[in-house]
Amino acid sequence: MGKNKLSKFADMKTYPNVFEYPFHRLATEGCPLVGSWSCEAFGNDHPITLELGCGRGEYALELARRHPERNYIGVDIKGARMWTGATAALRDGVRNVAFLRAEIEQIDRLFAPDEVDEIWLTFSDPQMKRAQKRMTSTYFLSRYRRIMPDGGVIRVKTDSRFLFTYTRYVVERNHLPLLAISEDIYAPGAGVAAEVTDIQTYYEQQWLERGISIKYIAFALPADGDLTEPDVEIPLDSYRSYHRQKRSSLETSK
């Protein structure tokens, strides 16, 4: 690990807006904030929105600036990137955003039932080889519903046509209430909320420069009912995205 990363990890251990519960710590200590995140981390009783796979934390931070009536938590296991958003939030006095270093697979051990009422998935890796690893798979949806009330909202913003199409099939197959959908959020008449287009992450800006359209889908997640994976083949993304393995060797979705 380079000195820069070590310095960032050292900083975050002193940051009041950063919480760290990687698997080894969660397994031995548990998370004492379960059921009391708003009270203990923010000192209020406002509703909570998570950004899962938050990277540098730009989206969670900007949402927090726009919505002081809500609390935002950016979740990622890669703490060195998270440092950027956490540092900016402290510098600018944005008190309704925090950052959680943890594995997303453990999300239902970090929050209590009904504690989170909205989740943003911003530019998640499409994980074209393994459906279970996709952030909108039934594997993850079953975990999200354990911490959300009936009808909690999932919002997906992605460069990946594969992930967008897969998510749409999941929504259709499981009859989940569709709230909004766009294959190109910047196209005239796309009709998406301003915060979907006005907030751009570092990587989104680069994808736009490459001429890749940005997709968006939002849906509600009922508390009850079986969740079933769609049995379909989906065309793979033809380009190589940042920090993802080359995809030309793949032929079908699994």
Side-chain angles (χ1 to χ4, degrees):
M1 185 180 294
K3 289 184 178 180
N4 192 37
K5 282 189 176 182
L6 288 173
S7 175
K8 289 178 178 178
F9 277 113
D11 283 349
M12 291 196 301
K13 288 187 180 300
T14 70
Y15 283 4
N17 62 347
V18 174
F19 303 86
E20 299 188 70
Y21 291 97
F23 178 75
H24 66 275
R25 184 180 179 193
L26 192 60
T28 57
E29 302 176 21
C31 177
L33 294 176
V34 171
S36 61
W37 277 94
S38 284
C39 176
E40 296 296 331
F42 302 101
N44 59 48
D45 60 356
H46 298 169
I48 293 175
T49 292
L50 302 183
E51 183 195 3
L52 301 183
C54 69
R56 300 181 181 203
E58 304 114 306
Y59 226 91
L61 176 57
E62 291 305 315
L63 286 169
R65 294 186 200 274
R66 291 167 180 247
H67 299 285
E69 75 284 0
R70 300 185 66 88
N71 297 324
Y72 292 85
I73 303 175
V75 184
D76 209 308
I77 193 57
K78 296 183 178 179
R81 295 192 301 180
M82 183 184 296
W83 176 92
T84 302
T87 301
L90 290 177
R91 180 195 65 215
D92 298 342
V94 183
R95 300 179 183 275
N96 62 321
V97 64
F99 296 89
L100 170 61
R101 182 171 170 257
E103 286 91 349
I104 296 171
E105 291 85 349
Q106 304 296 321
I107 199 69
D108 54 336
R109 298 178 62 185
L110 291 157
F111 296 89
D114 298 344
E115 192 167 14
V116 173
D117 71 349
E118 182 181 60
I119 290 175
W120 278 84
L121 304 173
T122 51
F123 302 99
S124 307
D125 190 319
Q127 297 286 353
M128 294 189 294
K129 289 186 176 181
R130 293 184 61 188
Q132 182 172 298
K133 287 185 170 292
R134 297 169 200 155
M135 297 295 292
T136 53
S137 68
T138 57
Y139 173 86
F140 278 102
L141 292 184
S142 66
R143 281 154 177 75
Y144 303 157
R145 68 175 8 175
R146 292 172 194 164
I147 63 174
M148 303 182 82
D150 185 29
V153 178
I154 311 292
R155 304 186 186 278
V156 182
K157 190 176 181 182
T158 181
D159 63 293
S160 170
R161 181 164 294 280
F162 177 91
L163 183 61
F164 173 81
T165 303
Y166 168 78
T167 302
R168 179 167 54 83
Y169 279 128
V170 169
V171 168
E172 292 172 355
R173 176 68 180 83
N174 292 284
H175 308 289
L176 306 178
L178 181 64
L179 305 178
I181 188 168
S182 174
E183 295 190 15
D184 183 353
I185 63 174
Y186 298 106
V192 297
E195 61 195 20
V196 178
T197 54
D198 292 355
I199 304 174
Q200 293 185 358
T201 67
Y202 170 78
Y203 288 114
E204 178 178 355
Q205 294 169 15
Q206 295 196 28
W207 283 314
L208 289 171
E209 291 172 1
R210 293 170 64 181
I212 297 170
S213 64
I214 306 301
K215 298 89 175 161
Y216 174 72
I217 183 168
F219 58 94
L221 184 60
D224 299 319
D226 294 335
L227 294 171
T228 306
E229 281 292 319
D231 185 16
V232 294
E233 291 191 2
I234 303 171
L236 303 174
D237 296 336
S238 60
Y239 63 94
R240 183 175 181 177
S241 192
Y242 300 102
H243 305 300
R244 298 179 191 156
Q245 296 179 350
K246 190 174 181 180
R247 300 170 180 171
S248 60
S249 62
L250 301 177
E251 294 180 357
T252 60
S253 61
K254 301 297 183 183

